[in-house]
Structure formats: structure tokens, C-alpha cells
Amino acid sequence: MSAGKLYDTSERELATLRCKAHNLSKDYNDTYEDETEKRAAILKELCPNLGKGTFIQGPVQFDYGVNFATGENCYFNFNLTVLDCAPVTLGDDVFIGPNCQLAPPVHPLLSEERKIRFKEDGTPYDIEYAKPIVIEDGVWLASGVTVCGGVKIGKNSVIGAGSVVTRDIPAGVFAAGNPCRVIREITEKDSVYLKKELL
């Protein structure tokens, strides 16, 4: 799985890790926001590679948690889904809006290769592979963004609400759509302090 090759989803070690992450996700989702010590303890076990000052609102759903790493001072809003079958790596100061999905897994396109199979003991499984995701420093994913496996989003870029990111996005741009594409470069003219209606 880590090498990006086809793997059996029912493999015992993977199934154990997934079950642990799913249970810890549920535990985190059942906490109150002011239970800061309890939430921190769950997150430390669920996602041991979080950078200093990173905040995850919840609810969340992680497949493994251990393959998810952030830099410092990242913020994640409601309903974060991370299917970290491959590494999902974020830089510093990444903002992720509500209802976002980071989705490295890839299933076969041919239905006969994608269907559920059964081992001799009756255990169901399927085959899939996964591609890593890299989100660099200062990126903002607005509400409802899906980032597919194999994608890198460059430093300080902004991805518009509802976008589906299927290919790399360069640094310093505003990109949006399904599939997501670059709309324009972000410049100093985008400063909120130049918008008189906001001051």
C-alpha cells in the first residue's frame, strides 16, 4: 500500500489499523469542543503527525490517521474526511473548509477488477491502490473541496468551493471547478485591506 502498488484491503494489519482509526474518529466526534484535554489525547493517538498549533474541529473520518501529517498552525473545519491509504502531507498554515475530502485511494476502472472478491474463508476484499497527496504551506481549500490521489497543490494557492482537484495546481493561484483548473494568479491586489467595503 505504501509503495503505491495494488493491495488487498482485508490484509490483517491494515484491517486492524483501519478499525482503530475508525473507532478513534468516532471517539473524537463524540467529544464536546471544550473537552480540550480529551480531544488532544484522542488526536495524538489518531493522528500522531500533527504539527504544533493545528486544530481539527470535527467531526472527522480517517482511514488510518498515521499516514496523515501536517505542518504547524493548520485549521480544519467540520466534516473532514481523510482516506490516508497513501501519505497525505500538508505544510504550515493550511486552512481546510467544511465538508472537504482528501482521497488517495484509486479503484480499478474495469468492473470485473473492481468487484468484491472472497477468500477461501469467506472474507470479502477488493483490490485498490493509492497515490499520495501533498498540500504545501499557506493553501486554503474552501468548502466542499475534494482532492484526489496523486495531486500536489502549490504554496499559497486557493481552491474554490466545491472543486474537484484531479491534477497538480501551481503555487500562488486561485483555482476552481470540476475538474479544478487555474483561474488566475493571486496578487497583492487581492488584499482585504484594499477592499473599502470591508473597512
Side-chain angles (χ1 to χ4, degrees):
M1 185 177 80
S2 299
K5 307 291 186 184
L6 288 173
Y7 64 91
D8 170 358
T9 57
S10 72
E11 196 279 325
R12 184 178 304 237
E13 182 182 0
L14 296 180
T16 300
L17 287 169
R18 255 193 332 271
C19 183
K20 179 181 178 182
H22 293 174
N23 290 345
L24 287 167
S25 294
K26 171 83 165 59
D27 290 345
Y28 190 76
N29 297 339
D30 288 344
T31 63
Y32 290 100
E33 190 165 341
D34 59 359
E35 294 180 299
T36 53
E37 289 183 12
K38 183 177 181 181
R39 285 164 64 92
I42 295 169
L43 270 187
K44 186 174 183 181
E45 189 174 359
L46 174 59
C47 301
N49 303 307
L50 295 181
K52 182 179 177 183
T54 290
F55 177 79
I56 299 178
Q57 176 64 56
V60 298
Q61 187 64 51
F62 285 88
D63 249 1
Y64 296 96
V66 295
N67 297 323
F68 179 69
T70 76
E72 296 184 356
N73 302 316
C74 295
Y75 176 86
F76 302 90
N77 214 319
F78 299 101
N79 296 320
L80 173 68
T81 299
V82 182
L83 306 178
D84 55 327
C85 304
V88 176
T89 307
L90 283 64
D92 296 334
D93 303 305
V94 173
F95 273 39
I96 294 189
N99 302 310
C100 287
Q101 302 177 64
L102 307 178
V106 184
H107 296 281
L109 292 180
L110 297 178
S111 64
E112 61 268 20
E113 295 176 351
R114 188 175 56 246
K115 67 182 181 180
I116 299 296
R117 302 149 192 246
F118 295 90
K119 295 184 176 178
E120 289 183 10
D121 66 359
T123 301
Y125 74 102
D126 67 315
I127 57 168
E128 61 183 51
Y129 61 102
K131 297 180 179 181
I133 290 173
V134 175
I135 299 175
E136 294 187 335
D137 296 352
V139 168
W140 171 30
L141 306 184
S143 301
V145 170
T146 297
V147 180
C148 296
V151 164
K152 179 179 179 181
I153 301 176
K155 188 174 181 179
N156 299 325
S157 283
V158 175
I159 308 299
S163 296
V164 179
V165 188
T166 59
R167 57 182 167 251
D168 290 355
I169 301 296
V173 299
F174 172 69
N178 181 4
C180 188
R181 61 183 177 81
V182 174
I183 305 296
R184 64 177 177 84
E185 188 178 354
I186 296 172
T187 71
E188 291 301 316
K189 292 180 181 177
D190 290 304
S191 172
V192 292
Y193 296 108
L194 297 178
K195 300 180 189 299
K196 293 180 180 178
E197 72 275 15
L198 300 179
L199 302 175

